[in-house]
Amino acid sequence: MKDRSSYRRIEAAKKTMAIIRFLSEQRQPVPGVEVARAVSIPSGTAMCHLVTLEDDRMVRRVGEHWELGDGMAILWARRKSQIESGIDRMKTNLSDIGA
């Protein structure tokens, strides 16, 4: 596998992550224009990102405003379960070796 520093970064993916990060910091739903301003992209581009994220429930539309969606919670719950399973396996392994 190539050194990860040799791969180019995809700007659209970086903007999508910036949108998710921005929404995660908001206490209430925010309008699309505010999302666009926060991540320094045109409103139309922000809306394209938002509706794409909405398709997988990563964000949710509330009237003309946006917030994180259930999809983010589902991903976190799966990751948390993986971490907990790993901890349980380690505990079992330690127990098996008498530690």
Side-chain angles (χ1 to χ4, degrees):
M1 186 164 123
K2 289 171 75 173
D3 177 359
R4 68 182 229 137
S5 65
S6 65
Y7 291 106
R8 69 182 179 85
R9 304 309 190 257
I10 299 169
E11 194 59 33
K14 290 171 78 171
K15 289 298 183 182
T16 298
M17 292 308 303
I19 288 169
I20 291 170
R21 249 185 254 101
F22 172 73
L23 290 175
S24 75
E25 296 166 352
Q26 305 311 302
R27 291 181 178 252
Q28 57 192 17
V30 295
V33 294
E34 191 173 329
V35 173
R37 193 173 324 121
V39 298
S40 303
I41 58 177
S43 292
T45 303
M47 293 307 297
C48 289
H49 282 274
L50 289 165
V51 297
T52 301
L53 288 164
E54 182 182 34
D55 289 345
D56 285 318
R57 295 175 37 204
M58 297 298 142
V59 302
R60 183 170 83 97
R61 188 186 322 232
V62 180
E64 295 299 316
H65 294 70
W66 297 88
E67 65 183 7
L68 287 184
D70 298 354
M72 297 303 295
I74 291 166
L75 289 178
W76 171 243
R78 288 179 184 158
R79 181 61 184 138
K80 183 175 181 275
S81 177
Q82 292 168 344
I83 292 168
E84 289 168 347
S85 293
I87 291 169
D88 290 342
R89 278 193 307 276
M90 284 188 264
K91 286 179 180 177
T92 299
N93 290 341
L94 287 171
S95 175
D96 290 347
I97 61 173

